[in-house]
Amino acid sequence: MQAQHSGTPLLRTAPPWRAGVGLKPEHIPEILETHPDVGFFEIHAENYMGAGGAPHRNLAMIRERYPLSLHGVGLSIGSEGPLDREHLGRLRTLNTKYDPELFSEHLAWSTHDQIYVNDLLPVAYNVDTLVRVCDHIDEVQETVGRKMLLENPSTYVAFEQSSMTETAFLKEVVRRTGCGLLLDVNNVYVSCINHDRQPEHYLQDFPIEAVGEVHLGGHAPDMDQAERPLLIDAHDREVDAEVWRLYEQILRKIGPIPTLVEWDNDVPAWGVLLAEAERATGLLKLAAQPDMTYAV
Amino acid sequence: MRSEPKLSPNGAFSAALLDAEQSIPTGIVGPDGAPDSKRFNVYRNNVIVSLVEALAHTFPAVQQLVGEEYFAALARSFVIENPPKSPVLIWYGREFGAYLDAFPPLSAYPYLGDVARLEWGWLQSFHSADACPLDPARLASVSPNLVGEVRFEIHPACRMIASIWPVLSLVQANRFGGVCSKPINLDNPEAVLVTRPDIKVQLSCLPNGAVTFFNALTNGKTFSDAAALASFDDSRFELEATLGLFLGQGVFTDLRVVAGSNEHGKAIANTGEVGCLP
Ligand SMILES: [Fe+2]
């Protein structure tokens, strides 16, 4: 997060122990007016793929003051077909234009046969998927000219065709492509509950040394057909207590790390989101001083 | 018996996503290794709900006119028949107006298609490239004997939607927090100019003859030819007022003069402004 730019304003060098916030258009006027003390803003790349107008003007003003994370949600790295070159070109253009400190996409697919279904869909973890995911990540990193972070998904189903665990799959992707990882702690919790696994075990197996960013977000509880708990990655509420607990464990292990609070649906007043980010900031500060005791 | 061509894993997954009647693809299971349609339905629901929401975001006046519940059903059927082809959802919904025109249950509301086209135009204008509107002084500085030969560059954020319905009144009463103070007379046709001289999208009602004038200019006709066509089409056309509106709303970014057969028969270089003040 410490990339230096000429004429860098104060907040552009924010230390990683200030949490970032997902940027929502409804919060922009207040952000530009009050210049809140947050570590960085993360944008969904696809919302800034128009040619001009208010989105770019506002983002440029925010970018003047804050570190930026460019987070793609539509590249479909898990696609069976080739990546959409035009879309990849647009990602490269945004990277060049805004020079973000962080750049990430998902281990998922959302396009098949040119149809874009606007959700992050799961892949089977096997050698076939591994080869094409790695090819696609190589292509992204070559085209955009930088390392990307790959985010672990929230999933609701498993595949009989899977032959390895998600963590083994991610480890191998990192080894083959040199990409980093975006560890979404809420996704870890959601997927582990949904697949009847221990989140602690998942995190023990996770290639934690590759993590360049952490996501925190809220989920909605539901049940599957057999009335087992089914958590939905809804990003529509506060971060769950269990997710905070896992986050603290991660910080104890790796120290302060760029951390983002996501809230994409039923977006609350700016103050509510800021309070969530400040809670994460409190934990990051403690992690920067390992002798202090943790309290949430 | 002929077997169906075998779909790839993502192919089978996506085919079942957009067709709620289809059984869930084989090999997709819960933690006990058994299929669980409720789990798969989370994805089905995410896809439809998020795309319906994207359409509601782009077409709030259509949503207000037909009601939230009806809109959800309408948008759902549009999504299933016209799923997006790009991950950039600000470009999703171009065909929504035509879909409404051809949707039999809405035949009693024939203006909805134009309402959707105006909302689509608004969104495209909102996201268009930035450009400085033409400074009216540039036109004033063209020598009087060449003014008729002026051709204009149209601003990238400029659109025009001509309707046989009062489409601007309908949109204004049903979005931007608009309230309908007086009943809208459906017998009043309206043509709407969509511009974005700076950051805010402007909607203006075009006066008589202005549609012809606008179309002629955007098709590369000269100023005098466009004015003649507009007057011919509608004797009430007022050149000065219409030109004033176009200049004021930022319809043009530039002008050039290519004189026909006289001694000034060279392109007059434009004065080459390099930027505009915010
Ligand atoms: Fe995330």
Side-chain angles (χ1 to χ4, degrees):
Chain A
M1 300 301 296
Q2 263 104 16
Q4 292 294 318
H5 295 258
S6 53
T8 303
L10 189 66
L11 290 169
R12 283 288 290 275
T13 55
W17 51 87
R18 264 202 176 282
V21 176
L23 184 63
K24 296 282 124 191
E26 47 270 61
H27 295 148
I28 287 176
E30 200 169 343
I31 291 165
L32 290 175
E33 207 171 291
T34 61
H35 301 140
D37 197 4
V38 300
F40 63 99
F41 283 101
E42 183 161 287
I43 56 161
H44 288 179
E46 285 68 15
N47 293 339
Y48 293 86
M49 287 183 173
H56 286 285
R57 178 147 339 157
N58 289 333
L59 182 57
M61 284 192 276
I62 283 174
R63 211 291 170 257
E64 280 286 304
R65 293 188 161 260
Y66 294 96
L68 186 70
S69 168
L70 181 67
H71 186 54
V73 297
L75 188 59
S76 199
I77 280 174
S79 270
E80 289 162 352
L83 291 182
D84 177 344
R85 300 272 149 78
E86 256 176 70
H87 196 68
L88 190 49
R90 292 190 285 263
L91 275 176
R92 182 184 49 204
T93 302
L94 281 174
N95 249 297
T96 308
K97 185 167 178 181
Y98 293 106
D99 192 19
E101 279 76 4
L102 295 164
F103 167 51
S104 52
E105 249 288 353
H106 297 84
L107 175 55
W109 61 280
S110 47
T111 297
H112 182 77
D113 245 353
Q114 329 254 15
I115 303 281
Y116 172 71
V117 287
N118 198 34
D119 196 18
L120 297 164
L121 301 169
V123 292
Y125 298 127
N126 55 34
V127 176
D128 276 2
T129 319
L130 182 67
V131 168
R132 68 170 195 262
V133 164
C134 288
D135 283 351
H136 289 163
I137 292 174
D138 287 342
E139 188 181 352
V140 175
Q141 298 190 134
E142 266 162 44
T143 307
V144 180
R146 65 178 294 178
K147 180 168 158 166
M148 64 163 282
L149 304 176
L150 185 70
E151 177 171 350
N152 60 294
S154 270
T155 57
Y156 312 114
V157 299
F159 293 85
E160 278 175 355
Q161 297 92 331
S162 283
S163 58
M164 57 183 109
T165 61
E166 185 170 291
T167 46
F169 187 92
L170 287 168
K171 231 178 258 176
E172 193 54 21
V173 169
V174 168
R175 195 186 67 78
R176 292 187 186 197
T177 66
C179 75
L181 295 174
L182 194 174
L183 173 56
D184 186 315
V185 186
N186 181 57
N187 289 357
V188 169
Y189 186 70
V190 164
S191 294
C192 285
I193 296 302
N194 290 349
H195 302 298
D196 199 15
R197 281 182 220 130
Q198 289 293 327
E200 285 80 4
H201 294 168
Y202 180 100
L203 287 171
Q204 272 160 22
D205 294 340
F206 196 87
I208 206 94
E209 63 289 344
V211 174
E213 182 186 346
V214 161
H215 272 181
L216 301 171
H219 58 254
D222 200 352
M223 270 191 292
D224 75 358
Q225 227 167 284
E227 301 198 345
R228 290 166 299 211
L230 183 64
L231 301 183
I232 313 295
D233 179 33
H235 294 185
D236 63 345
R237 66 193 68 198
E238 276 95 355
V239 177
D240 188 84
E242 284 300 300
V243 173
W244 283 118
R245 197 178 53 76
L246 293 170
Y247 177 53
E248 278 184 74
Q249 287 177 10
I250 292 162
L251 289 180
R252 248 178 248 139
K253 208 160 161 184
I254 61 173
I257 179 99
T259 300
L260 178 89
V261 175
E262 310 184 271
W263 198 321
D264 297 310
N265 296 301
D266 296 334
V267 175
W270 168 247
V272 176
L273 186 50
L274 183 61
E276 279 288 271
E278 274 168 2
R279 185 167 173 186
T281 295
L283 294 173
L284 285 166
K285 285 185 170 163
L286 282 175
Q289 304 160 313
D291 299 337
M292 307 279 285
T293 45
Y294 284 79
V296 177
Chain B
M1 205 177 93
R2 228 162 56 98
S3 64
E4 292 286 310
K6 196 171 160 6
L7 290 169
S8 66
N10 290 2
F13 199 110
S14 69
L17 267 184
L18 291 169
D19 182 358
E21 306 291 297
Q22 255 191 57
S23 54
I24 70 172
T26 51
I28 291 178
V29 294
D32 52 1
D36 186 306
S37 58
K38 203 170 162 198
R39 287 170 176 263
F40 189 78
N41 286 345
V42 175
Y43 295 110
R44 278 183 170 141
N45 189 58
N46 283 351
V47 171
I48 298 290
V49 169
S50 70
L51 290 174
V52 166
E53 228 168 71
L55 291 170
H57 198 79
T58 300
F59 302 103
V62 175
Q63 186 185 36
Q64 180 139 328
L65 280 161
V66 302
E68 224 170 282
E69 220 173 295
Y70 191 90
F71 184 87
L74 174 69
R76 170 185 288 258
S77 70
F78 175 79
V79 165
I80 289 166
E81 288 173 47
N82 304 269
K85 302 275 166 61
S86 162
V88 186
L89 290 181
I90 56 178
W91 302 328
Y92 181 49
R94 178 186 296 279
E95 311 86 358
F96 195 56
Y99 189 81
L100 297 179
D101 291 341
F103 195 67
L106 287 174
S107 57
Y109 307 91
Y111 47 80
L112 286 174
D114 282 350
V115 170
R117 278 181 281 275
L118 179 50
E119 297 200 281
W120 174 258
W122 188 96
L123 186 72
Q124 300 317 304
S125 179
F126 181 80
H127 288 288
S128 285
D130 302 327
C132 300
L134 175 73
D135 179 353
R138 292 268 316 286
L139 183 59
S141 72
V142 176
S143 100
N145 58 330
L146 290 175
V147 159
E149 302 301 315
V150 161
R151 287 184 170 88
F152 293 99
E153 293 289 335
I154 306 297
H155 194 288
C158 177
R159 307 274 186 289
M160 199 271 294
I161 287 97
S163 176
I164 59 165
W165 309 102
V167 64
L168 180 59
S169 305
L170 286 163
V171 166
Q172 278 172 338
N174 289 287
R175 69 181 272 177
F176 312 118
V179 278
C180 200
S181 48
K182 54 180 194 268
I184 294 170
N185 182 358
L186 286 178
D187 294 331
N188 285 345
E190 286 174 350
V192 188
L193 183 67
V194 183
T195 54
R196 208 196 76 215
D198 181 37
I199 218 69
K200 211 170 164 289
V201 178
Q202 316 270 6
L203 302 177
S204 344
C205 214
L206 283 180
N208 299 314
V211 171
T212 309
F213 187 55
F214 179 88
N215 285 336
L217 291 176
T218 52
N219 287 330
K221 292 268 188 287
T222 62
F223 186 45
S224 63
D225 285 353
L229 279 167
S231 302
F232 179 77
D233 242 27
D234 193 327
S235 59
R236 295 163 301 177
F237 173 65
E238 290 176 38
L239 176 60
E240 219 167 301
T242 306
L243 182 65
L245 174 74
F246 284 12
L247 287 167
Q249 294 299 320
V251 168
F252 314 120
T253 53
D254 203 356
L255 60 79
R256 69 206 151 87
V257 189
V258 184
S261 53
N262 61 32
E263 61 201 279
H264 305 286
K266 290 179 240 152
I268 295 176
N270 69 55
T271 51
E273 284 167 295
V274 284
C276 52
L277 295 170

